Coordinates of all heavy atoms in Angstrom, one line a residue:
Y1 N 56.9 -37.1 -49.1 CA 57.5 -36.8 -47.8 C 57.1 -35.4 -47.4 O 57.0 -34.5 -48.1 CB 59.0 -36.9 -48.0 CG 59.6 -38.2 -48.2 CD1 60.0 -38.6 -49.5 CD2 59.7 -39.2 -47.2 CE1 60.6 -39.8 -49.8 CE2 60.3 -40.4 -47.5 CZ 60.7 -40.7 -48.7 OH 61.2 -42.0 -49.0
A2 N 57.0 -35.3 -46.0 CA 56.9 -34.0 -45.5 C 58.3 -33.2 -45.7 O 59.3 -33.9 -45.8 CB 56.7 -34.1 -44.0
D3 N 58.2 -31.9 -45.8 CA 59.4 -31.2 -46.0 C 60.5 -31.5 -45.0 O 61.7 -31.5 -45.3 CB 59.1 -29.7 -46.0 CG 58.3 -29.2 -47.3 OD1 58.3 -30.0 -48.3 OD2 57.8 -28.1 -47.3
S4 N 60.0 -31.7 -43.8 CA 61.0 -31.9 -42.7 C 61.7 -33.3 -42.8 O 62.7 -33.5 -42.2 CB 60.3 -31.9 -41.3 OG 59.2 -32.9 -41.3
A5 N 61.1 -34.2 -43.6 CA 61.7 -35.5 -43.8 C 62.5 -35.7 -45.1 O 63.3 -36.6 -45.2 CB 60.5 -36.5 -43.8
K6 N 62.3 -34.8 -46.0 CA 63.0 -34.9 -47.3 C 64.5 -34.9 -47.2 O 65.0 -34.1 -46.5 CB 62.5 -33.8 -48.3 CG 61.1 -33.9 -48.7 CD 60.7 -32.7 -49.6 CE 59.3 -32.8 -50.1 NZ 58.8 -31.6 -50.9
G7 N 65.1 -35.9 -47.8 CA 66.5 -36.0 -47.8 C 67.1 -36.7 -46.6 O 68.3 -37.0 -46.6
R8 N 66.3 -37.0 -45.6 CA 66.7 -37.7 -44.4 C 66.0 -39.0 -44.2 O 66.6 -39.9 -43.6 CB 66.6 -36.8 -43.2 CG 67.3 -35.5 -43.3 CD 67.2 -34.7 -42.0 NE 65.9 -34.4 -41.6 CZ 65.3 -34.7 -40.4 NH1 66.0 -35.3 -39.5 NH2 64.1 -34.4 -40.1
F9 N 64.7 -39.1 -44.5 CA 63.9 -40.3 -44.2 C 63.6 -41.0 -45.5 O 63.5 -40.4 -46.6 CB 62.6 -39.9 -43.6 CG 62.8 -39.3 -42.2 CD1 64.0 -39.1 -41.6 CD2 61.6 -38.9 -41.5 CE1 64.1 -38.5 -40.3 CE2 61.7 -38.4 -40.2 CZ 63.0 -38.2 -39.6
T10 N 63.5 -42.3 -45.4 CA 63.1 -43.1 -46.6 C 62.0 -44.1 -46.2 O 62.2 -44.9 -45.2 CB 64.3 -43.9 -47.1 OG1 65.3 -42.9 -47.5 CG2 63.9 -44.6 -48.4
I11 N 60.9 -44.1 -46.9 CA 59.8 -45.1 -46.6 C 60.0 -46.2 -47.7 O 60.3 -45.9 -48.8 CB 58.5 -44.4 -46.7 CG1 57.4 -45.4 -46.3 CG2 58.2 -43.8 -48.1 CD1 56.0 -44.7 -46.1
S12 N 59.7 -47.4 -47.2 CA 59.8 -48.5 -48.1 C 58.8 -49.6 -47.6 O 58.3 -49.5 -46.5 CB 61.2 -49.1 -48.2 OG 61.7 -49.5 -47.0
R13 N 58.6 -50.6 -48.4 CA 57.8 -51.7 -48.1 C 58.3 -53.0 -48.5 O 59.1 -53.1 -49.5 CB 56.4 -51.5 -48.7 CG 56.4 -51.5 -50.2 CD 55.0 -51.1 -50.7 NE 54.0 -52.1 -50.5 CZ 52.7 -52.0 -50.9 NH1 52.4 -50.9 -51.5 NH2 51.8 -52.9 -50.7
D14 N 58.0 -54.1 -47.8 CA 58.4 -55.4 -48.2 C 57.1 -56.2 -48.2 O 56.5 -56.6 -47.2 CB 59.3 -56.0 -47.2 CG 59.8 -57.4 -47.6 OD1 59.1 -58.2 -48.3 OD2 61.0 -57.7 -47.3
N15 N 56.5 -56.4 -49.4 CA 55.2 -57.1 -49.5 C 55.3 -58.5 -49.0 O 54.3 -59.0 -48.4 CB 54.8 -57.1 -51.0 CG 54.4 -55.7 -51.5 OD1 54.0 -54.9 -50.7 ND2 54.6 -55.4 -52.8
A16 N 56.4 -59.2 -49.2 CA 56.5 -60.6 -48.8 C 56.4 -60.7 -47.3 O 55.9 -61.7 -46.7 CB 57.8 -61.2 -49.3
K17 N 56.9 -59.7 -46.6 CA 56.9 -59.7 -45.1 C 55.7 -58.8 -44.6 O 55.6 -58.7 -43.3 CB 58.2 -59.1 -44.6 CG 59.4 -60.0 -44.9 CD 60.7 -59.4 -44.3 CE 61.9 -60.3 -44.6 NZ 63.1 -59.7 -44.0
N18 N 54.9 -58.3 -45.4 CA 53.8 -57.4 -45.0 C 54.3 -56.3 -44.0 O 53.7 -56.1 -42.9 CB 52.7 -58.2 -44.3 CG 51.9 -59.0 -45.3 OD1 51.7 -58.6 -46.5 ND2 51.5 -60.2 -45.0
T19 N 55.4 -55.7 -44.4 CA 56.0 -54.8 -43.5 C 56.3 -53.5 -44.2 O 56.7 -53.5 -45.4 CB 57.3 -55.4 -42.9 OG1 57.0 -56.6 -42.2 CG2 58.0 -54.4 -41.9
V20 N 56.1 -52.4 -43.5 CA 56.5 -51.0 -44.0 C 57.6 -50.5 -43.1 O 57.6 -50.7 -41.9 CB 55.3 -50.1 -44.0 CG1 55.7 -48.7 -44.5 CG2 54.1 -50.7 -44.7
Y21 N 58.6 -49.8 -43.7 CA 59.7 -49.3 -43.0 C 59.8 -47.8 -43.1 O 59.4 -47.2 -44.1 CB 61.0 -50.0 -43.5 CG 61.0 -51.5 -43.5 CD1 60.8 -52.2 -44.6 CD2 61.4 -52.1 -42.3 CE1 60.8 -53.6 -44.5 CE2 61.4 -53.5 -42.2 CZ 61.1 -54.3 -43.3 OH 61.1 -55.6 -43.3
L22 N 60.5 -47.2 -42.1 CA 60.9 -45.8 -42.2 C 62.3 -45.7 -41.8 O 62.6 -45.9 -40.6 CB 60.0 -44.9 -41.4 CG 60.3 -43.4 -41.5 CD1 59.9 -42.9 -42.9 CD2 59.5 -42.6 -40.5
Q23 N 63.2 -45.5 -42.7 CA 64.6 -45.3 -42.3 C 64.8 -43.8 -42.1 O 64.5 -43.0 -42.9 CB 65.5 -45.8 -43.5 CG 67.0 -45.5 -43.3 CD 67.6 -46.4 -42.1 OE1 67.3 -47.6 -42.0 NE2 68.4 -45.8 -41.3
M24 N 65.3 -43.5 -40.9 CA 65.5 -42.1 -40.5 C 67.0 -41.9 -40.2 O 67.5 -42.5 -39.3 CB 64.7 -41.8 -39.2 CG 63.2 -42.1 -39.4 SD 62.2 -41.6 -38.0 CE 62.8 -42.7 -36.7
N25 N 67.5 -41.0 -41.0 CA 68.9 -40.6 -40.8 C 69.1 -39.2 -40.4 O 68.1 -38.4 -40.5 CB 69.7 -40.9 -42.1 CG 69.7 -42.3 -42.6 OD1 69.7 -43.2 -41.8 ND2 69.6 -42.5 -43.9
S26 N 70.2 -38.8 -39.9 CA 70.5 -37.4 -39.5 C 69.4 -36.9 -38.6 O 68.9 -35.8 -38.8 CB 70.6 -36.5 -40.8 OG 71.6 -37.0 -41.6
L27 N 69.1 -37.6 -37.6 CA 68.0 -37.3 -36.8 C 68.3 -36.0 -36.0 O 69.4 -35.8 -35.6 CB 67.6 -38.4 -35.8 CG 66.8 -39.5 -36.5 CD1 66.9 -40.8 -35.7 CD2 65.4 -39.1 -36.7
K28 N 67.2 -35.2 -35.7 CA 67.3 -34.0 -35.0 C 66.4 -34.0 -33.8 O 65.5 -34.8 -33.7 CB 66.9 -32.8 -35.9 CG 67.6 -32.7 -37.2 CD 67.0 -31.7 -38.1 CE 67.6 -31.6 -39.5 NZ 67.0 -30.5 -40.3
P29 N 66.7 -33.2 -32.8 CA 65.8 -33.2 -31.6 C 64.4 -32.9 -31.9 O 63.5 -33.5 -31.3 CB 66.4 -32.1 -30.7 CG 67.9 -32.0 -31.1 CD 67.9 -32.4 -32.6
E30 N 64.1 -32.2 -33.0 CA 62.7 -31.9 -33.3 C 62.0 -33.0 -34.0 O 60.8 -33.0 -34.3 CB 62.7 -30.6 -34.3 CG 63.6 -30.7 -35.5 CD 64.9 -29.9 -35.2 OE1 65.5 -30.1 -34.1 OE2 65.3 -29.2 -36.1
D31 N 62.8 -34.1 -34.2 CA 62.1 -35.3 -34.7 C 61.5 -36.2 -33.6 O 60.9 -37.2 -33.8 CB 63.1 -36.2 -35.5 CG 63.6 -35.6 -36.8 OD1 62.8 -35.0 -37.5 OD2 64.8 -35.6 -37.0
T32 N 61.8 -35.7 -32.4 CA 61.2 -36.4 -31.2 C 59.7 -36.5 -31.3 O 59.1 -35.4 -31.3 CB 61.7 -35.8 -29.9 OG1 63.1 -36.0 -29.8 CG2 61.1 -36.4 -28.7
A33 N 59.1 -37.6 -31.2 CA 57.7 -37.8 -31.3 C 57.3 -39.3 -31.2 O 58.2 -40.1 -31.2 CB 57.2 -37.2 -32.6
V34 N 56.0 -39.5 -31.1 CA 55.5 -40.9 -31.2 C 55.2 -41.1 -32.7 O 54.5 -40.2 -33.3 CB 54.3 -41.1 -30.4 CG1 53.7 -42.5 -30.6 CG2 54.6 -40.9 -28.9
Y35 N 55.8 -42.1 -33.3 CA 55.6 -42.4 -34.7 C 54.5 -43.5 -34.9 O 54.6 -44.5 -34.3 CB 56.9 -42.8 -35.3 CG 57.8 -41.6 -35.5 CD1 58.4 -40.9 -34.5 CD2 58.1 -41.1 -36.8 CE1 59.2 -39.8 -34.7 CE2 58.9 -40.0 -37.0 CZ 59.5 -39.4 -35.9 OH 60.3 -38.3 -36.1
Y36 N 53.6 -43.2 -35.8 CA 52.5 -44.1 -36.0 C 52.5 -44.6 -37.5 O 52.7 -43.8 -38.4 CB 51.2 -43.4 -35.8 CG 50.9 -43.0 -34.4 CD1 51.3 -41.7 -33.9 CD2 50.3 -43.8 -33.5 CE1 51.1 -41.3 -32.6 CE2 50.1 -43.4 -32.1 CZ 50.5 -42.2 -31.7 OH 50.3 -41.8 -30.5
C37 N 52.3 -45.9 -37.6 CA 52.1 -46.5 -38.9 C 50.7 -46.4 -39.3 O 49.8 -46.5 -38.5 CB 52.6 -47.9 -38.9 SG 52.4 -48.9 -40.4
Y38 N 50.4 -46.2 -40.6 CA 49.1 -46.1 -41.1 C 49.0 -46.9 -42.4 O 49.9 -46.8 -43.3 CB 48.7 -44.6 -41.4 CG 47.5 -44.4 -42.3 CD1 46.2 -44.6 -41.7 CD2 47.6 -44.2 -43.6 CE1 45.1 -44.4 -42.4 CE2 46.4 -44.1 -44.4 CZ 45.2 -44.2 -43.8 OH 44.0 -44.1 -44.6
V39 N 47.9 -47.6 -42.6 CA 47.5 -48.3 -43.8 C 46.1 -48.0 -44.1 O 45.2 -48.1 -43.2 CB 47.8 -49.8 -43.6 CG1 47.3 -50.5 -44.9 CG2 49.2 -50.1 -43.4
G40 N 45.8 -47.7 -45.4 CA 44.4 -47.4 -45.7 C 44.0 -47.8 -47.1 O 44.9 -48.1 -48.0
G41 N 42.7 -47.8 -47.4 CA 42.2 -48.0 -48.7 C 42.1 -49.5 -49.1 O 43.0 -49.9 -49.8
P42 N 41.0 -50.2 -48.8 CA 39.8 -49.7 -48.0 C 40.1 -49.7 -46.5 O 40.8 -50.6 -46.0 CB 38.7 -50.7 -48.4 CG 39.4 -51.9 -48.7 CD 40.8 -51.5 -49.3
G43 N 39.3 -48.9 -45.8 CA 39.5 -48.8 -44.3 C 40.7 -48.0 -43.9 O 41.5 -47.6 -44.7

């Protein structure tokens, strides 16, 4: 986790659903952004 996300955000995956999640709690105005999902290796 990035330092800014530690203790507030949780990443998880569901292989059966081919889905990755990001649970974000205690959100702050500085969390405002466009959030992108990334998958790699290979490609």
Side-chain angles (χ1 to χ4, degrees):
Y1 292 104
D3 288 343
S4 59
K6 289 178 181 177
R8 300 188 300 126
F9 294 1
T10 303
I11 187 172
S12 62
R13 62 190 290 178
D14 186 329
N15 291 330
K17 296 182 178 180
N18 288 325
T19 301
V20 181
Y21 302 98
L22 184 69
Q23 177 68 43
M24 304 187 295
N25 299 326
S26 302
L27 283 161
K28 305 174 182 180
E30 51 264 44
D31 295 317
T32 296
V34 178
Y35 284 70
Y36 296 90
C37 178
Y38 167 79
V39 173

